[in-house]
Amino acid sequence: MLLAFSIAPSSPDDSGSYAEAVAAALRIVRDSGLPHDLGSMFTTVEGEWDEVMAVVKQCVDAMEPYGDRVGLVMKADIRAGRTGQMSAKVERVQGLLDDPATS
């Protein structure tokens, strides 16, 4: 599965930033060893259902010191038997864009 998620504590730190809290969660994603991609609005993780959801739960737990509530938004693409889709999906679209016959 591919799971894109955005996570943040209920309020920013004194400087108005969520960066420290988000970095705490992203350390968990990075340390999980799962393929992942950090974007400006979402982080995408690829793996089996149970391992991906375990990482998301750990990220939520990592937010607890930064506020009394955590906001979490998720979107999943679940396809049995598929791996490497984080890059494959992008490559398929890019191939169409690069093909003069489809432009």
Side-chain angles (χ1 to χ4, degrees), residues 23-38:
L26 288 173
R27 280 186 198 95
I28 291 164
V29 173
R30 183 187 60 205
D31 293 347
S32 74
L34 295 176
H36 62 279
D37 181 56
L38 172 62

Side-chain angles (χ1 to χ4, degrees), residues 45-64:
V45 180
E46 183 170 13
E48 296 298 319
W49 180 274
D50 289 340
E51 61 189 359
V52 169
M53 290 303 178
V55 168
V56 171
K57 182 182 183 325
Q58 290 172 26
C59 290
V60 170
D61 293 345
M63 289 283 152
E64 288 181 0

Side-chain angles (χ1 to χ4, degrees), residues 2 7 9 20 25 27 31 43 46 50 54 58-59 61 63 68 84-85 87 89 96 102:
L2 291 175
I7 185 170
E20 188 176 331
R27 280 186 198 95
D31 293 347
T43 298
E46 183 170 13
D50 289 340
Q58 290 172 26
C59 290
D61 293 345
M63 289 283 152
D68 61 346
Q85 293 303 298
S87 59
K89 289 176 76 170
L96 291 170
T102 61

